[in-house]
């Protein structure tokens, strides 16, 4: 699309040559008539109608959004810092109050009593404006939604309306005695943002309104307030309907627009596709498009046969020949006009015009020859310049070789001196190292002896103290063991007494309850009830112990009774037996 005009001019020049050429006309006619029923051109374009309801809704609310931004809602926050006094520019009541509570900030006492007391640091309160209130963040979110909402529709409408799509199909077959050709073309091309269709986009109703609304939204997002709010995290739906959003007119309208665009489910525009098909081609188009077949033949054949240089030479010869023929023709015409002027049959002005044209042709020829001569001279100048450069370079190389030789000799001398210096430095360094090493070893030996003596003394003191503390710890452990035994004994006695007391209390309360005596004490508190439970447990334990003893006693008594009865039966039987014996006797 960018080079459309350029190729059109070139095509017009081509047609000037081929349009009237008889062989070219016959070839084009044959190609046009061959299988023209298979030739087709399909063109796709789109028309668009944009709905006005959503644009009107946005336009009516943008005024209220702008007013909401101008309200410049903010929080005033106070931030205090202790700064060096040279950085303090302004003080306040908070500064004096803080200084009275933090006298440590005054570290220098004046020499004279009349001199002022100057602290090193002061507390400074800075009041900051915080624009990241919820309502401002809501406006930023709404503008971001509007930007994406409108931009999406602008992009889709513009993309469709300014896009040109075409499909070209051709199938040509020629079978002559000297040539057999098959030419198939299946060509698709899509131009986006076609400059010839951009005007149609701006002619669509409501496009300018949509673009203006988008520009207003972008402008509002570029305000200083929105730039500050953009630094905060964007709020996420659902939107909290604060008192400001519900009661303030500007924010109320903005909230209504937010509800509108978030619930808008339509595209907001209608696209209509227009498909134009040309089958077969129009005669003029067919005559023009078959030129591409011959051009394809020329390009592929000339490259395949490597004929580009030959064709260029032939073209230049033919061009020169045409120029010579044109000059001869014009010269003959001028001589005829000259005879007419001499005979008085022609106006001299016409003759002069013809002469000027002849001169112009000669000038063109001279310019062509001059250009060729200049090219030749340029080549000669280039060769001479290269020769001069070669000579200069040879001189420079010789000079550099001499310098390199001198530098090499100097480097050898410097290297020998450097090696000698390094050797002397190494020897000196080794001597210094040995001296330092010996001094260090002597000092280290002295330090080691002193440290050994100190360590021996410390060990002896430590052993003495360790023995003393061991004896002390042993005595304390024995005393502690005795105390622990006494405490354990006291604890056992105390538990026994407490247990007996609880048993007695339980028996006491039981006897009172058994005899119908009222118990006026209150055991409903947590502590008393817990004590009552423990008394009940003690009584149960006492009951179990007594029951065990009772069972043992009962068993013993039963056993003794059984033994007594058994003895009595035995005695009775013996008595009966004796009586029976006596009776028998």
């Amino acid at each position: 699309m960018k080079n459309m005009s350029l190729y059109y001019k070139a095509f017009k020049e081509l047609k000037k040559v081929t349009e009237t050429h008889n062989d070219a006309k016959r070839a084009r006619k044959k190609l046009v008539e061959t299988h023209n029923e298979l030739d087709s051109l399909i063109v796709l374009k789109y028309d668009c109608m944009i709905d006005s309801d959503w644009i009107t809704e946005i336009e009516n609310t943008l005024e209220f959004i702008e007013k909401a931004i101008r309200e410049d809602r903010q929080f005033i926050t106070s931030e205090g810092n202790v700064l060096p006094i040279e950085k303090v520019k302004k003080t306040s009541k908070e500064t004096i109050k803080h200084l009275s509570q933090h006298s440590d900030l005054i570290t220098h006492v004046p020499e004279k009593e009349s001199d002022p007391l100057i602290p090193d640091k002061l507390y400074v309160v800075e009041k900051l404006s915080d624009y990241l209130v919820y309502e401002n963040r809501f406006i930023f979110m709404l503008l971001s939604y509007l930007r994406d909402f409108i931009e999406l529709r602008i992009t889709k409408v513009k993309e469709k309306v300014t896009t040109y799509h075409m499909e070209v199909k051709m199938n040509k077959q020629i079978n002559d005695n000297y040539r057999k050709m098959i030419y198939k073309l299946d060509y698709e091309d899509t131009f986006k943002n076609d400059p010839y269709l951009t005007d149609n986009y701006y002619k669509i109703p409501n496009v300018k309104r949509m673009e203006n609304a988008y520009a207003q939204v972008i402008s509002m997002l570029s305000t200083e307030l929105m730039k500050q709010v953009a630094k905060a995290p964007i709020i996420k739906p659902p939107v909290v309907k604060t008192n400001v959003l519900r009661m303030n007119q500007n924010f109320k309208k903005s909230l209504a627009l937010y509800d509108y665009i978030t619930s808008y489910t339509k595209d907001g525009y209608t696209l209509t596709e227009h498909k134009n098909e040309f089958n077969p081609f129009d005669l003029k188009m067919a005559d023009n498009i078959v030129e591409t077949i011959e051009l394809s033949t020329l390009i592929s054949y000339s490259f395949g046969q490597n004929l580009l240089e030959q064709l260029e030479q032939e073209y230049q010869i033919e061009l020169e020949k045409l120029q010579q023929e044109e000059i001869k023709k014009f010269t003959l015409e001028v001589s005829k006009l000259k005879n007419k002027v001499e005979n008085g049959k022609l106006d001299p002005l016409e003759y002069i015009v013809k002469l000027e044209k002849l001169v112009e042709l000669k000038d063109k020829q001279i310019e062509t020859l001059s250009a060729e001569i200049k090219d030749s001279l340029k080549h000669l100048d280039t060769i001479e310049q290269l020769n001069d450069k070669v000579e200069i370079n040879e001189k420079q190389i010789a000079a550099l070789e001499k310098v390199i030789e001198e530098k090499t000799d100097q480097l050898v001398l410097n290297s020998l001196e450097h090696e000698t210096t390094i050797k002397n430095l190494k020897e000196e360094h080794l001597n210094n190292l040995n001296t330092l090493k010996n001094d260090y070893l002597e000092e280290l030996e002295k330090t080691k002896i002193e440290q050994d003596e100190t360590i021996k003394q410390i060990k002896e003191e430590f052993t003495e103290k360790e023995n003393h503390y061991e004896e002390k710890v042993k005595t304390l452990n024995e005393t502690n063991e005795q105390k622990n035994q006494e405490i354990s004994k006291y604890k056992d006695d105390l538990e026994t007494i407490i247990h007996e007391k609880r048993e007695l209390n339980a028996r006491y309360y039981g006897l009172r309850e058994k005899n119908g005596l009222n118990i006026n004490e209150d055991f409903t508190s947590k502590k008393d009830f817990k004590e009552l439970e423990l008394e009940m447990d003690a009584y149960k334990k006492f009951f179990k112990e007594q029951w065990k003893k009772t069972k043992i006693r009962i068993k013993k008594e039963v056993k003794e009774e059984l033994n007594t009865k058994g003895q009595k039966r035995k005695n009775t039987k013996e008595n009966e037996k004796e009586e029976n014996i006596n009776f028998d006797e």
Side-chain angles (χ1 to χ4, degrees), residues 190-397:
T190 302
F191 294 98
K192 293 185 178 181
N193 295 322
D194 187 343
Y196 297 102
L197 294 176
T198 303
D199 293 337
N200 294 340
Y201 166 73
Y202 286 106
K203 291 177 183 177
I204 298 172
N206 295 325
V207 161
K208 288 186 178 179
R209 292 176 64 194
M210 181 170 65
E211 295 268 3
N212 289 338
Y214 180 73
Q216 284 182 269
V217 171
I218 295 298
S219 176
M220 291 179 192
L221 281 170
S222 302
T223 58
E224 191 62 32
L225 176 63
M226 290 297 102
K227 287 180 182 178
Q228 292 290 332
V229 176
K231 298 175 184 177
I234 192 167
I235 63 175
K236 296 180 180 180
V239 174
V240 179
K241 296 181 180 180
T242 62
N243 290 335
V244 176
L245 293 179
R246 288 188 293 106
M247 308 298 291
N248 185 293
Q249 182 67 11
N250 298 326
F251 286 94
K252 185 177 180 181
K253 292 284 186 181
S254 303
L255 181 61
L257 179 61
Y258 169 78
D259 293 336
Y260 177 81
I261 64 170
T262 51
S263 60
Y264 193 85
T265 56
K266 298 186 291 183
D267 291 333
Y269 58 87
T270 305
L271 291 169
T272 306
E273 182 182 274
H274 295 285
K275 184 177 180 181
N276 296 328
E277 186 171 1
F278 301 91
N279 179 249
F281 295 150
D282 178 81
L283 289 176
K284 187 173 182 180
M285 178 186 172
D287 186 68
N288 288 336
I289 202 167
V290 294
E291 294 281 9
T292 60
I293 300 175
E294 294 298 340
L295 282 172
S296 301
T297 302
L298 167 66
I299 294 168
S300 57
Y301 186 78
S302 60
F303 271 95
Q305 294 283 50
N306 196 18
L307 296 174
L308 287 176
E309 292 184 2
Q310 181 181 340
L311 290 173
E312 179 64 23
Q313 291 175 359
E314 291 176 358
Y315 171 73
Q316 293 295 337
I317 292 169
E318 186 177 355
L319 188 64
E320 188 176 351
K321 185 179 178 181
L322 288 173
Q323 288 179 351
Q324 293 293 338
E325 288 178 358
E326 189 176 357
I327 290 170
K328 285 180 181 179
K329 182 179 176 183
F330 206 73
T331 304
L332 182 62
E333 188 178 351
V334 168
S335 63
K336 287 179 181 179
L337 291 172
K338 182 181 179 183
N339 292 330
K340 287 183 180 181
V341 170
E342 289 175 353
N343 296 328
K345 294 180 180 180
L346 184 67
D347 186 5
L349 290 173
E350 187 177 350
Y351 177 66
I352 291 168
V353 171
K354 293 289 184 179
L355 281 175
E356 288 176 351
K357 287 186 178 180
L358 180 61
V359 170
E360 186 178 348
L361 288 171
K362 290 289 185 181
D363 289 340
K364 287 183 179 178
Q365 191 174 13
I366 291 167
E367 286 177 3
T368 305
L369 292 171
S370 298
E372 292 177 358
I373 291 167
K374 283 180 180 179
D375 291 337
S376 300
L377 290 172
K378 283 180 181 178
H379 289 305
L380 289 172
D381 292 340
T382 305
I383 291 168
E384 290 178 358
Q385 290 174 2
L386 289 172
N387 288 330
D388 293 339
K389 286 182 178 179
V390 168
E391 187 176 351
I392 292 166
N393 287 335
E394 287 177 351
K395 291 179 180 179
Q396 289 177 348
I397 289 167

Side-chain angles (χ1 to χ4, degrees), residues 392-408:
I392 292 166
N393 287 335
E394 287 177 351
K395 291 179 180 179
Q396 289 177 348
I397 289 167
L400 287 171
E401 286 177 348
K402 187 177 180 180
V403 172
I404 289 168
E405 188 175 353
E406 292 175 356
K407 293 288 184 184
T408 304

Side-chain angles (χ1 to χ4, degrees), residues 41-57:
L41 169 65
I42 299 173
V43 178
L44 288 179
K45 294 182 183 178
Y46 291 91
D47 287 336
C48 181
M49 290 297 296
I50 301 173
D51 301 338
S52 61
D53 55 344
W54 61 272
I55 299 177
T56 303
E57 190 71 26

Side-chain angles (χ1 to χ4, degrees), residues 120-133:
D120 291 338
K121 296 180 180 180
L122 283 177
Y123 179 76
V124 179
V125 176
E126 184 181 4
K127 292 186 177 180
L128 302 173
S129 298
D130 186 2
Y131 294 97
L132 306 182
V133 297

